[in-house]
Amino acid sequence: MSLQLLPFYLLCDESGSMTGSPIDAINDSLPKLHHEIGSNPAVADKTRFCLIGFSDRAEILLSLSDLSTVTEMPELQANGGTSYAKAFDTLRETIDRDVAQLKSEGHEVYRPAIFFLSDGLPNDDWHAAYQQLTDPAWRPHPNILAFGFGQADADIIRQVATTKAFISDNTLSPAEALREFAQSLVRSIVNSGTQSADTAAGGATLVMPDQVPGFTTISADPV
Amino acid sequence: MPERERATPMPEVDEIRDDDAAEPEPTDPPAGDVPEPVSTGTAAGENETESDASGISEPDAVPEEESTVDSVAQPAAESLAEPVPEETIPERATDTGPAEFPRIAAPAVLVGNPRLGSNPAALPATAEPAADSVLDGAEFDRLVVRAASVRGDEHRHYGDTRQDSMGIWSLEPPAGLDVGHLVFLGCVADGVGSQPLSQLGSTQACRLLRQHVVPRLPELLSPAGDPAHACAEVMSEVAAGLRTLAAGLQAGTEQVATTLVAGLVTPGGPGTPARVVLFRVGDGTCFVLRNGSWQDLLGELTVDGPVLSTATDALPMHPKSTVATVVGLEPGDLLLLCTDGLAKPMMLNASVRDQLAAWWGAGQVPSLPEFYGQMSFRAQTFGDDRSAVCVWLNDHG
């Protein structure tokens, strides 16, 4: 059996600055996300979902899964510093492994999609790791959609995104912003699932939302 | 005859409803006291509504009408004419009545475990959406045609219009050429631009194809002609027509973009192979099914490298990427022109190739409803529109 699968990675900042309402809001949103993705047959059929949390280190909290078969979502726990390099290194290793695994099972794999969520400034040098992650010579290099909120530096968020970047405009509390983020994520997956099969010449395989309520869209500017 | 079969059950339903209204106790389930079919019918269908249950069990009108339609085998029909022994009552209840004609089977699941179903959701929110599906067919001396363009389950789920189109035509053979009395043209197109204009693009591409093939038939069909050149010219003219369409819609050319693959078949005389001119722009595919196995007649579909790409050449942007070939097909061969919505699950899954070969091989031509059902197979993650023109070559006629 050979399927056409679209892997999604949610890369979540769980550094110490996320303590309190930001981390609570994400943890409240994840089960909802789980339910909305797992119960949408068009999305569940063709997506796989992975959750990675990062602070001083990065950890796979949910390995690439069919969300409709997952019974419980893991929780994020905030502490420590913010290493984007660890996050990007772990992500690249994980994508390599996952794509190889899916292909060895006979599946075809669409370019992975990353939802990068961070509230703070990285306190490491992450550019080399980022270049490895987005190296066009690496065939499964992902599309990255970056969300910044709290005290995030718009320039940093813009640099992380390859496709679209959003900055919270402070009209919503973190909890509301994250709920909006979750809904936007689901909508984006739905759209991707629909349109990736039909995208015309150009080969883009992912449709990102142009607007997310509570966030300002900024142009992506890969380093 | 078919009209009769279809028409007769209708008035009976009305009659039954009248009887039902006059009848006070159709709900009494236990059989026994009277050999009254009403009670067994209710027992057999306890979960159904009263009118449903009594509708199934109504004894009188149904068997009489059915005995006039003996091609439809209904074993219980004769037993109804005489007093019925009690033990046969359940058989009567299940084997008679309009509800007992064979139901059309649910679509086969050929890949994975799709949770996405095939029922359409909202109607597309466009002024002139394409119908969900188009089904067509024809039979000539030496060839039989079945064709369908079926909206993908994902488009049904999201209430998006079908973007594929197809067309089949028999064309007037050009004077002065000895090509026999039939020239058949079939094509499928996959609109890859932005909705809803992609549907207009694929529909118009099929129309334009026929329009521009006709004047070039001598060049396409003559043994001395240059069919590859003629095919490229036709595609350029189709591209020009699509640009005109886009301009009229005040849309960008890429919004009406579409793939297009066509086959021009002249069956030839008995004992000679049929001549087929095949040409395409984009990822439409031409297969032949011969001796149970599928062969790609226009080269491999590119399923490239570590990451799946959906990029394809398309009209009106890439008429210069026209690929054309001329092949000879033998009696017993099946020519299949299809969009990637069918080609991809076929190329990636032996289960699909094998099942289609089992359905369509060895000269088996399905009825139109069978063909539609077969085209409607479900395959997890393959929710795109599917279009196919199938041409069976035979020695009849």
Side-chain angles (χ1 to χ4, degrees):
Chain A
M1 173 182 66
S2 175
L3 307 178
Q4 307 179 104
L5 296 174
L6 183 53
F8 278 87
Y9 294 85
L10 181 55
L11 201 54
C12 275
D13 187 341
E14 51 177 351
S15 60
S17 56
M18 296 284 285
T19 305
S21 62
I23 206 82
D24 293 344
I26 295 185
N27 283 329
D28 287 347
S29 301
L30 287 177
K32 186 182 171 206
L33 195 64
H34 174 207
H35 175 76
E36 290 185 16
I37 293 172
S39 63
N40 182 328
V43 176
D45 271 359
K46 65 192 309 175
T47 58
R48 295 288 185 270
F49 189 87
C50 173
L51 177 63
I52 295 174
F54 68 92
S55 53
D56 292 315
R57 60 199 184 87
E59 188 182 1
I60 298 171
L61 300 172
L62 177 71
S63 58
L64 197 69
S65 304
D66 176 345
L67 271 193
S68 64
T69 67
V70 169
T71 52
E72 199 175 357
M73 289 294 274
E75 288 212 338
L76 301 176
Q77 290 177 342
N79 59 59
T82 308
S83 171
Y84 281 12
K86 288 277 172 36
F88 296 150
D89 284 345
T90 300
L91 181 59
R92 181 174 159 140
E93 286 164 23
T94 308
I95 288 174
D96 254 340
R97 203 169 49 238
D98 288 346
V99 170
Q101 174 68 28
L102 291 172
K103 292 187 77 70
S104 78
E105 293 167 8
H107 304 308
E108 297 294 328
V109 184
Y110 289 109
R111 185 171 306 290
I114 312 304
F115 292 83
F116 179 82
L117 179 57
S118 178
D119 82 325
L121 301 174
N123 47 26
D124 64 343
D125 181 3
W126 50 274
H127 292 90
Y130 181 80
Q131 267 166 1
Q132 288 232 305
L133 178 66
T134 54
D135 179 3
W138 178 49
R139 289 298 300 273
H141 65 272
N143 294 308
I144 303 175
L145 179 66
F147 282 79
F149 59 98
Q151 41 181 316
D153 181 328
D155 284 340
I156 299 279
I157 294 298
R158 186 182 284 129
Q159 286 173 28
V160 170
T162 64
T163 313
K164 287 232 164 63
F166 302 90
I167 295 285
S168 169
D169 61 11
N170 295 321
T171 59
L172 298 179
S173 72
E176 288 167 321
L178 282 169
R179 194 169 55 241
E180 292 298 333
F181 168 60
Q183 285 169 1
S184 151
L185 172 58
V186 171
R187 229 178 10 246
S188 171
I189 292 174
V190 171
N191 287 338
S192 311
T194 314
Q195 298 185 23
S196 59
D198 303 320
T199 306
T205 58
L206 183 65
V207 176
M208 299 289 192
D210 286 327
Q211 298 294 331
V212 181
F215 287 83
T216 303
T217 305
I218 56 178
S219 64
D221 178 24
V223 222
Chain B
M1 192 66 162
E3 277 180 14
R4 220 187 136 81
E5 286 178 26
R6 181 180 281 180
T8 44
M10 295 308 292
E12 294 161 18
V13 172
D14 291 336
E15 273 176 40
I16 289 162
R17 286 195 179 135
D18 291 341
D19 290 354
D20 183 35
E23 198 153 288
E25 85 277 85
T27 52
D28 186 19
D33 38 313
V34 189
E36 179 58 56
V38 169
S39 60
T40 50
T42 310
E46 264 179 358
N47 294 331
E48 304 181 42
T49 65
E50 282 184 24
S51 61
D52 283 344
S54 55
I56 287 166
S57 62
E58 172 60 34
D60 293 328
V62 176
E64 275 177 28
E65 291 295 330
E66 279 189 349
S67 63
T68 68
V69 188
D70 45 12
S71 69
V72 180
Q74 289 293 340
E78 59 178 354
S79 70
L80 289 164
E82 47 198 64
V84 187
E86 243 174 274
E87 59 270 23
T88 68
I89 289 174
E91 194 181 312
R92 284 180 59 192
T94 54
D95 287 357
T96 63
E100 302 306 324
F101 286 107
R103 292 194 59 168
I104 290 181
V109 173
L110 299 188
V111 177
N113 174 29
R115 285 148 290 194
L116 182 63
S118 297
N119 286 332
L123 281 169
T126 60
E128 294 177 55
D132 179 272
S133 300
V134 180
L135 179 65
D136 211 341
E139 181 160 359
F140 310 96
D141 286 353
R142 308 201 65 217
L143 59 88
V144 188
V145 181
R146 296 289 180 264
S149 182
V150 182
R151 183 159 61 141
D153 288 342
E154 287 185 27
H155 288 157
R156 286 172 173 157
H157 178 77
Y158 295 116
D160 294 331
T161 189
R162 174 167 51 91
Q163 296 171 274
D164 274 12
S165 296
M166 60 136 204
I168 56 174
W169 301 272
S170 62
L171 306 178
E172 186 75 20
L177 267 186
D178 181 21
V179 295
H181 56 276
L182 174 66
V183 177
F184 171 80
L185 176 65
C187 69
V188 295
D190 178 1
V192 295
S194 58
Q195 297 187 55
L197 299 185
S198 47
Q199 220 290 327
L200 297 180
S202 64
T203 305
Q204 184 72 349
C206 294
R207 279 194 209 118
L208 289 164
L209 176 81
R210 181 195 168 281
Q211 182 187 329
H212 292 293
V213 159
V214 167
R216 292 190 182 273
L217 281 178
E219 199 181 347
L220 286 162
L221 298 179
S222 162
D226 181 354
H229 174 262
C231 291
E233 291 295 309
V234 167
M235 288 304 199
S236 292
E237 287 156 354
V238 171
L242 287 173
R243 289 183 191 279
T244 304
L245 171 71
L249 294 165
Q250 297 184 310
T253 50
E254 70 289 344
Q255 287 185 265
V256 297
T258 182
T259 71
L260 181 62
V261 57
L264 186 67
V265 185
T266 39
T272 60
R275 181 179 186 272
V276 184
V277 181
L278 298 169
F279 54 117
R280 73 170 175 200
V281 169
D283 60 9
T285 305
C286 306
F287 292 105
V288 63
L289 176 63
R290 178 176 292 172
N291 301 324
S293 68
W294 295 98
Q295 250 179 281
D296 186 340
L297 294 172
L298 280 176
E300 291 291 308
L301 185 75
T302 46
V303 179
D304 65 329
V307 175
L308 187 59
S309 167
T310 55
T312 176
D313 285 333
L315 294 169
M317 292 86 80
H318 310 113
K320 289 197 165 55
S321 69
T322 301
V323 176
T325 190
V326 179
V327 297
L329 295 183
E330 303 289 340
D333 286 348
L334 163 63
L335 172 69
L336 165 62
L337 310 179
C338 62
T339 56
D340 66 339
L342 180 61
K344 276 192 182 167
M346 285 180 71
M347 301 187 108
L348 294 172
N349 288 280
S351 58
V352 176
R353 290 193 298 276
D354 293 349
Q355 186 58 61
L356 293 179
W359 279 331
W360 298 342
Q364 302 170 89
V365 180
S367 69
L368 286 176
E370 278 175 327
F371 182 69
Y372 183 73
Q374 292 159 349
M375 283 289 293
S376 302
F377 71 84
R378 294 169 63 208
Q380 186 181 347
T381 74
F382 297 94
D384 198 5
D385 298 342
R386 291 183 198 139
S387 299
V389 173
C390 289
V391 182
W392 283 264
L393 284 304
N394 60 42
D395 250 341
H396 309 159

